[in-house]
Amino acid sequence: MTLRAMGDHEGPDRSTGNNSNWAEIASGVVDDMEYAEEEPNMPFLSDTDRARLIADLSHMDVQRMASAKADVISRFQRAFSVPHVDVLQEDEFRAFLDFRTNRHWTGLHRQGSRICADMERLRGILRTLYDEDRPVRERLATATNSILGMGKAIATAILHVGYPERYGVWNRVSEQALRRLGLWPATQPADGIGGTYEAVNRVLLALATELGTDLWSLDSLLWLQTTQPEPPPPPDLPVPDPQMFGLEQHLHEFIVDNWDQIPELGKEWRIYEEAGEPEAGYKYSCAAGEIDVLAHHASDSNRWLVVELKRGQTDDTTVGQILRYMGWVKKELAKPEGSVEGLIIAHSESLRLRYALLAASNIRFMTYSVEFHLRPVPVHADD
């Protein structure tokens, strides 16, 4: 992929509100290993939401992922358990990160090289995660702080395949779904990633109980809640070309997957990370909306970059969005002396967009191109 150029600090508030009943459950005093036995004594969902979620359990995608549960759990439960974990090989662990074999989670493979750089350390962390004599908050904090790339999405997925009836999965998708449902628990910064997971896991267990399903299927169900059909284009926006639309649908993930190989991005910028979230900057959700990619400079962590991909929206919408995101980053993440830059990436040039950016010197505009080559393969002796 080629990009071409066209021309007093407060902590970030990323919340979207909490449900008070669920907050009580999440902060309830229950023993670490008694989550499943904790019976909720109040309704958690509205009748409408409950009926919709129960109906969604029959959705073909949820059922398809549910059908893979037994094979996936059996395979990786054995791989990560003693004594096999002591001889676990890199290709076995990478298989867990691959959607084609885990049949459930996409994007985990991007952290494979970092996590597998020290296999002996990884084996030790897997033993730690499966040590039920230690509180789960302690195990999760140790795992995510010990290995680069081992974020909450991967660590809790490992916990889940080891103890599928006890631990749910906390990742960007499940968090987004819980927030949409008003079920995100109230937590404090002092809880850290381990304490937050304990609260989230209590919610997941209670929700699974209320819906009469298991945690594996619940994870698929939460994913389904975050998938929305594309809205029709506004009247002043032409219907996109089907071929281009298909390409742009994959552009976002392609850029993140190949960040380090794109000179205009990987040479100077690093995707933003948070504790337990090595790809926090990918689809970064905040009060201003969802930032396509949030990055900071490789040599200056207080120099920020907001990347906006122009996909089907008007020029004015694109400029308005990136300015809103940059304003949020300036207020919530950057220190007073920090700077925030913007980058709009589109498939083709736009005169209106170029005019708008003349008044915004800290926003760059680049187009991308994708090259496709056919090469002859010798088959016959005279080829």
Side-chain angles (χ1 to χ4, degrees):
M1 176 177 176
T2 304
L3 292 178
R4 185 166 66 90
M6 303 299 300
D8 199 38
H9 179 64
E10 298 175 355
D13 175 15
R14 298 176 63 186
S15 66
T16 57
N18 300 310
N19 178 293
S20 59
N21 289 347
W22 285 89
E24 291 177 24
I25 291 177
S27 60
V29 180
V30 295
D31 187 69
D32 184 50
M33 301 298 22
E34 294 179 351
Y35 298 160
E37 289 71 39
E38 186 71 9
E39 285 295 331
N41 57 8
M42 63 188 75
F44 303 126
L45 295 166
S46 68
D47 290 341
T48 300
D49 281 343
R50 185 184 301 106
R52 176 173 55 80
L53 290 172
I54 290 175
D56 283 346
L57 285 170
S58 300
H59 190 281
M60 62 178 183
D61 287 331
V62 175
Q63 289 295 307
R64 174 176 50 80
M65 284 187 272
S67 68
K69 175 184 175 181
D71 289 342
V72 174
I73 295 293
S74 174
R75 174 177 179 173
F76 294 109
Q77 196 173 69
R78 173 186 175 277
F80 298 156
S81 297
V82 175
H84 184 77
V85 69
D86 295 329
V87 293
L88 179 75
Q89 299 301 302
E90 180 176 341
D91 61 336
E92 293 178 285
F93 188 78
R94 282 184 179 271
F96 174 71
L97 303 180
D98 191 334
F99 175 72
R100 292 171 296 182
T101 39
N102 71 48
R103 312 280 294 280
H104 207 77
W105 305 287
T106 61
L108 304 187
H109 66 281
R110 288 194 287 266
Q111 300 301 323
S113 296
R114 294 208 290 177
I115 293 176
C116 295
D118 186 338
M119 284 302 298
E120 190 54 44
R121 179 184 290 270
L122 174 59
R123 296 184 191 103
I125 288 301
L126 292 173
R127 287 191 288 268
T128 296
L129 281 171
Y130 279 13
D131 183 0
E132 290 289 272
D133 291 331
R134 297 172 60 181
V136 69
R137 67 161 56 204
E138 179 182 310
R139 287 179 273 153
L140 189 65
T142 299
T144 56
N145 289 328
S146 299
I147 295 183
L148 287 175
M150 178 68 77
K152 62 180 185 286
I154 294 176
T156 60
I158 292 171
L159 281 170
H160 178 66
V161 299
Y163 303 94
E165 307 307 319
R166 182 169 291 174
Y167 300 117
V169 177
W170 173 26
N171 54 32
R172 181 186 291 105
V173 171
S174 60
E175 178 172 337
Q176 182 181 355
L178 290 177
R179 289 187 183 277
R180 286 188 181 184
L181 292 167
L183 305 181
W184 185 252
T187 58
Q188 301 297 324
D191 294 332
I193 187 172
T196 300
Y197 176 65
E198 284 186 337
V200 170
N201 198 44
R202 280 192 285 269
V203 171
L204 294 173
L205 285 161
L207 182 57
T209 298
E210 178 157 356
L211 297 176
T213 190
D214 57 66
L215 291 169
W216 175 276
S217 295
L218 177 63
D219 191 55
S220 306
L221 180 64
L222 293 177
W223 162 79
L224 187 64
Q225 306 314 300
T226 66
T227 60
Q228 301 294 335
E230 289 293 324
D236 62 336
L237 190 64
V239 176
D241 174 77
Q243 275 191 316
M244 187 52 58
F245 181 77
L247 176 63
E248 291 174 344
Q249 286 291 90
H250 298 283
L251 174 63
H252 196 175
E253 187 165 349
F254 179 88
I255 286 177
V256 174
D257 279 347
N258 297 276
W259 185 273
D260 292 337
Q261 283 71 52
I262 302 174
E264 296 84 355
L265 298 174
K267 185 177 180 180
E268 294 188 36
W269 302 96
R270 301 289 179 266
I271 295 177
Y272 175 59
E273 298 186 15
E274 290 180 346
E277 186 57 81
E279 288 186 352
Y282 174 50
K283 295 185 178 180
Y284 187 85
S285 181
C286 64
E290 185 177 275
I291 300 173
D292 284 336
V293 185
L294 177 62
H296 61 81
H297 199 270
S299 60
D300 183 357
S301 61
N302 201 29
R303 183 180 167 191
W304 297 86
L305 177 68
V306 172
V307 179
E308 174 69 13
L309 309 180
K310 186 177 184 297
R311 294 166 296 185
Q313 70 262 41
T314 65
D315 296 331
D316 292 345
T317 298
T318 301
V319 174
Q321 282 185 178
I322 196 169
L323 286 172
R324 184 171 71 248
Y325 299 153
M326 291 170 66
W328 184 90
V329 172
K330 180 68 175 178
K331 180 180 185 295
E332 301 291 350
L333 292 178
K335 296 177 181 178
E337 68 278 10
S339 63
V340 182
E341 301 170 36
L343 171 61
I344 295 173
I345 300 176
H347 180 258
S348 58
E349 299 183 26
S350 166
L351 185 59
R352 292 174 61 182
L353 189 54
R354 294 176 69 170
Y355 279 139
L357 297 182
L358 287 175
S361 60
N362 57 343
I363 301 178
R364 290 178 292 152
F365 178 30
M366 306 187 82
T367 60
Y368 68 91
S369 61
V370 178
E371 297 182 3
F372 178 81
H373 300 282
L374 291 177
R375 294 184 178 87
V377 176
V379 176
H380 307 290
D382 56 348
D383 284 347

